[in-house]
Amino acid sequence: MARPPALLSDDPRAPFPPVEQALREPDGLLAVGGDLSPVRLLNAYAQGIFPWFSHGQPILWWSPDPRVTFDTGSFRLPSRFRRQLRQSEWTVRADTAFDEVVSQCAHAPRPGQDGTWIVPAMRRAYGELHRLGHAHSVEVYEGEALVGGIYGVGIGRMFFGESMFSGRSGGSKVALAALAGFLHEQGCPMIDAQVENSHLLSLGARLTPRSEFMGQVRALVAEPALEGSWAARFAVRTAAGL
């Protein structure tokens, strides 16, 4: 009989159990409980663990095997889509509308999902991480209208993607491509995309064994973090230039 997931203590600095203890079914469930304080969230991500739960559930913590990742240096949009973007007037920025990106992600319809895991407590928690400089967003604009975006958590030279949305067809693809290009420029080689789905795989995500993923994460989170404002570093980019 598989052991139940660990019950976390009330101390946000208390260690998580080793990720190797995560359940195989459901894949990656490691622990239950705790809180969404910045200290606990940053501790979790640095160990390859993330929260994922629905309304009415306790906080559930996950570390699936394999992990879905993107290599920022080799990320490429499909050639047909890139040709379409040559006529696009969309612009891309970073950290100019973090809360709105999270809100749009929370309300985006997901095939096969009823409701959202980005519950109000999650929105508040990641908003606080953003204000502390640990969570970031990339936004795609048509004029001043937000038409796509992605957000996640940055620690050291590692980026942990959380969610993305499209308000216009292709908006999330542009946000992801711009994020990957920016991270590659900054010496951040990998984006964690958490769990497998057909859309991510169609964009070139790969399945990475958890042991390999954890080896990379431990090294990358120990690197110096990006200094200064993401908005300033990113500046304003064009979708046509991706």
Side-chain angles (χ1 to χ4, degrees), residues 35-37 41 51 53-55 57-59 102 116-129 131 151:
D35 58 28
L36 296 174
S37 64
L41 283 170
F53 61 100
S54 299
H55 180 71
Q57 291 182 320
I59 301 173
V102 176
T116 179
W117 55 269
I118 309 175
V119 296
M122 292 279 274
R123 291 167 65 173
R124 290 191 297 271
Y126 287 89
E128 179 63 15
L129 276 186
R131 284 175 272 285
Y151 77 96

Side-chain angles (χ1 to χ4, degrees), residues 185-199:
E185 294 166 6
Q186 307 302 319
C188 303
M190 186 167 66
I191 298 172
D192 171 34
Q194 297 183 343
V195 295
E196 176 182 357
N197 66 50
S198 58
H199 179 60

Side-chain angles (χ1 to χ4, degrees), residues 98 101-102 105 117-118 126 136-137 149-152 159 161-163:
F98 182 87
V101 169
V102 176
C105 288
W117 55 269
I118 309 175
Y126 287 89
H136 304 280
S137 61
I150 187 170
Y151 77 96
F159 191 83
E162 274 295 310
S163 188

Side-chain angles (χ1 to χ4, degrees), residues 95-108 118 123 127 130-131 137-141 144-151 164-165 167:
D95 279 357
T96 61
F98 182 87
D99 290 336
E100 187 175 353
V101 169
V102 176
S103 178
Q104 292 287 346
C105 288
H107 293 99
I118 309 175
R123 291 167 65 173
H130 173 64
R131 284 175 272 285
S137 61
V138 169
E139 307 95 23
V140 183
Y141 289 93
E144 291 303 309
L146 186 65
V147 297
I150 187 170
Y151 77 96
M164 56 187 182
F165 84 97

